[in-house]
């Protein structure tokens, strides 16, 4: 096999690969045999049809393509190794000349990893803004704890307050048509923390048990459903039940009920400890992000458009899946935000992702930071904890997908490089 390289623009190289005539003929005959085993040819058992019959049945071009597909992986791999090519995408064939009895010539193109010029990435001093504990953080934490342990008591002798929970039937119409998904029976609506259309919960406060009435609201201009944006709507309401929250008293008995505490002071000390740990965690995360951003911003790299386009396509599919999980239609989002704006956002996100990844790989190469099995296992443990799944079960689920496994491995390498940067740079919390 002979390979010649020619560099083209934007980190692309052209590979002219020559396969000896004998190897090309052998690959062709093997391709004929493979194809004959899964195509139906009248008068012959699978795998028994002569070569000439198979050629007439499927065509020589299909056989040649099958043969080339079997030859190219090892040929391209050899070219990559011999020429020390650092590829970022699978090479693709642009042309070939395949005549039995002659050398097979194949032209392929391969995209190389863009060259990264690192700026200073060690010995930096980076300032990070402190994330102090807010003055009312303790009181908010106590209020949240009391609310979580509150009881709901049914009331029948007064109208609903704006702090109550109203159990309602509702049915909405807009433009003379029933709103899809705009109805429910015995829906418990928290009037103090409603995520319904603005003005909806407010009009229920003050109404009595078993009252039936209409309320009028207007959908926001940025509502995800194009037909309902800015449209007035009417909802028929019936109040089936009114519930009042009974918040427990903050005392030693309550402290003993919610944890291993003897007194309210013990409970407050534990909350304070949690708030301080959260402050440390936030400062640590912000420090890592600021150091990494400083290092990435100082690096220089020309990213080819082909890399950006691939990453944009990948991001688009990720966003579609994420939106679908939230019940949001991608096409509706395109209409509401505009395709140009969405594409601009995707391009910006793609550029950030690509540059981050390239800088991480470059630092890992410069510093000899290598990924070990224990690093990947640690990442799986972190992910399993986040998803509430046993590590071995997560490995079984995700380990079967090479792309997912590669992504997790990249995340593990990212963590090692970030740890290296934190060890070799100084952060001042201001």
């Amino acid at each position: 096999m002979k390979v010649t390289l020619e560099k083209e623009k934007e980190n692309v190289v052209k590979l002219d690969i020559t396969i000896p005539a004998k190897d090309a003929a052998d690959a062709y005959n093997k391709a004929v045999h493979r194809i004959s085993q899964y195509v139906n040819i009248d008068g012959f058992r699978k795998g028994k049809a002569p070569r000439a019959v198979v050629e007439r049945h499927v065509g020589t071009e299909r056989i040649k393509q099958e043969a080339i597909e079997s030859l190219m992986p090892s040929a391209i791999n050899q070219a990559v190794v011999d020429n020390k090519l650092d590829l970022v995408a699978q090479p693709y064939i642009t042309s070939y000349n395949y005549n039995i009895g002659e050398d097979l010539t194949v032209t392929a193109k391969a995209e190389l990893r863009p060259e990264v010029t690192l700026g200073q990435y060690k010995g930096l001093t980076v300032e990070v803004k402190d994330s102090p504990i807010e003055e009312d953080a303790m009181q908010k934490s106590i209020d949240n704890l009391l609310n979580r342990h509150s009881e709901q008591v049914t009331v029948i002798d007064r109208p609903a307050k704006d702090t109550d929970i109203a159990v309602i039937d509702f049915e909405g119409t807009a433009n003379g048509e029933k709103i899809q998904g705009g109805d429910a029976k015995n829906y418990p609506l928290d009037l103090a923390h409603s995520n319904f259309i603005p003005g909806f919960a407010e009009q229920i406060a003050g109404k009595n048990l078993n009252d039936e009435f209409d309320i009028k609201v207007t959908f926001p201009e940025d509502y995800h459903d194009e037909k309902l944006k800015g449209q007035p709507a009417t909802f028929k309401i019936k109040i089936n039940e009114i519930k009042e929250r009974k918040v427990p008293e903050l005392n030693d008995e309550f402290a003993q009920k919610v944890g291993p505490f003897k007194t309210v002071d013990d409970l407050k000390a534990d909350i304070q400890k949690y708030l301080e740990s959260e402050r440390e965690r936030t400062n640590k995360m912000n420090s890592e992000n600021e150091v990494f951003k400083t290092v990435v911003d100082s690096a220089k790299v020309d990213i080819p458009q082909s890399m950006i386009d691939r990453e944009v396509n990948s991001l688009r599919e990720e966003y579609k899946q994420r939106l679908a999980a939230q019940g949001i239609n991608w096409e509706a989002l395109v209409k509401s935000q505009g395709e140009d704006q969405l594409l601009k956002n995707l391009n910006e996100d793609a550029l950030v992702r690509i540059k981050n990844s390239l800088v991480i790989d470059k630092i890992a190469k410069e510093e000899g930071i290598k990924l070990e099995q224990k690093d990947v296992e640690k990442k799986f443990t972190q992910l399993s904890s986040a998803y509430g799944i046993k590590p071995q079960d997560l490995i079984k689920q995700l380990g079967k997908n090479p792309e997912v496994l590669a992504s997790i491995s990249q995340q593990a390498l990212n963590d090692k490089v970030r740890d290296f940067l934190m060890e070799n740079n100084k952060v001042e919390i201001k």
Side-chain angles (χ1 to χ4, degrees), residues 46-60:
K46 288 185 177 180
K48 298 300 182 181
R51 170 175 148 177
V53 175
V54 176
E55 287 176 334
R56 283 198 304 273
H57 190 78
V58 303
T60 57

Side-chain angles (χ1 to χ4, degrees), residues 158-164 166 191 200-209 211 213 239 242:
R158 64 165 175 79
K161 295 180 180 178
D162 58 9
T163 55
D164 288 338
L191 301 183
F200 190 103
E202 290 83 347
Q203 295 182 60
I204 294 175
K207 303 295 185 181
N208 291 292
L209 182 65
D211 278 357
F213 53 95
I239 299 181
I242 299 171

Side-chain angles (χ1 to χ4, degrees), residues 72-356:
M72 282 304 99
S74 59
I76 289 177
N77 183 62
Q78 191 61 49
V80 168
V81 172
D82 291 347
N83 294 279
K84 298 179 180 177
L85 302 178
D86 188 4
L87 304 184
V88 293
Q90 191 69 23
Y92 56 95
I93 294 171
T94 57
S95 64
Y96 62 85
N97 188 18
Y98 201 164
N99 297 308
I100 302 303
E102 300 176 7
D103 290 346
L104 164 63
T105 59
V106 178
T107 299
K109 291 193 177 182
E111 193 173 321
L112 304 181
R113 187 180 301 278
E115 186 59 38
V116 178
T117 303
L118 293 172
Q120 184 180 353
Y121 65 93
K122 294 187 288 188
L124 295 167
T125 299
V126 178
E127 289 187 1
V128 176
K129 186 179 178 181
D130 189 16
S131 300
I133 300 171
E134 300 293 336
E135 290 183 6
D136 60 349
M138 173 64 74
Q139 189 58 50
K140 283 183 177 178
S141 297
I142 291 172
D143 291 343
N144 287 336
L145 190 60
L146 291 170
N147 283 323
R148 285 206 303 272
H149 289 82
S150 64
E151 295 179 353
Q152 294 181 11
V153 179
T154 300
V155 293
I156 59 174
D157 57 349
R158 64 165 175 79
K161 295 180 180 178
D162 58 9
T163 55
D164 288 338
I165 295 164
V167 181
I168 62 172
D169 297 341
F170 65 88
E171 182 177 325
T173 57
N175 299 317
E177 296 181 2
K178 184 177 177 181
I179 298 171
Q180 187 176 2
D183 62 293
K185 297 287 188 182
N186 290 316
Y187 186 92
L189 181 63
D190 186 341
L191 301 183
H193 306 95
S194 167
N195 59 357
F196 276 27
I197 306 163
F200 190 103
E202 290 83 347
Q203 295 182 60
I204 294 175
K207 303 295 185 181
N208 291 292
L209 182 65
N210 297 321
D211 278 357
E212 294 185 35
F213 53 95
D214 291 350
I215 62 174
K216 296 185 182 299
V217 293
T218 301
F219 281 91
E221 292 292 343
D222 59 353
Y223 195 68
H224 63 80
D225 189 331
E226 192 73 25
K227 292 189 301 183
L228 296 173
K229 279 185 176 181
Q231 293 300 310
T234 300
F235 284 84
K236 292 184 178 300
I237 309 291
K238 182 189 176 191
I239 299 181
N240 299 323
E241 195 174 359
I242 299 171
K243 296 182 178 181
E244 180 183 12
R245 279 197 186 86
K246 289 292 185 182
V247 179
E249 184 182 345
L250 180 62
N251 53 30
D252 292 347
E253 183 181 350
F254 175 77
Q256 292 161 15
K257 179 182 176 182
V258 298
F261 315 112
K262 292 183 179 180
T263 66
V264 171
D265 288 342
D266 293 340
L267 172 60
K268 288 183 176 180
D270 188 71
I271 293 173
Q272 184 65 32
K273 183 179 178 182
Y274 169 78
L275 292 173
E276 288 170 357
S277 69
E278 278 297 288
R279 175 189 185 185
E280 289 176 8
R281 186 188 66 79
T282 302
N283 281 342
K284 181 176 182 293
M285 181 179 68
N286 291 344
S287 298
E288 289 179 358
N289 290 341
E290 193 60 35
V291 168
F292 185 66
K293 183 178 181 301
T294 302
V295 170
V296 170
D297 287 348
S298 69
K300 295 180 180 178
V301 56
D302 290 325
I303 301 172
Q305 188 61 44
S306 54
M307 279 188 79
I308 298 171
D309 292 341
R310 277 198 306 276
E311 191 66 27
V312 165
N313 290 334
S314 176
L315 278 170
R316 184 187 288 112
E317 291 307 310
E318 282 183 31
Y319 290 164
K320 281 183 179 180
Q321 292 175 14
R322 201 177 304 162
L323 290 168
Q326 299 172 21
I328 300 174
N329 182 274
W330 170 261
E331 284 70 26
L333 188 70
V334 171
K335 284 182 180 179
S336 66
Q337 293 193 12
E339 190 170 5
D340 290 344
Q341 184 61 45
L342 272 176
L343 189 60
K344 180 184 175 184
N345 294 342
L346 286 170
N347 268 276
E348 290 172 355
D349 290 350
L351 277 168
V352 170
R353 267 200 189 189
I354 294 168
K355 188 174 182 182
N356 287 355

Side-chain angles (χ1 to χ4, degrees), residues 365-381:
K365 185 176 180 181
E366 290 289 319
E367 297 296 333
I369 301 172
K370 296 190 183 333
L371 200 60
E372 299 175 13
Q373 183 65 28
K374 63 180 182 180
D375 301 319
V376 179
E377 290 173 356
K378 179 183 176 183
K379 197 66 192 174
F380 266 109
T381 301

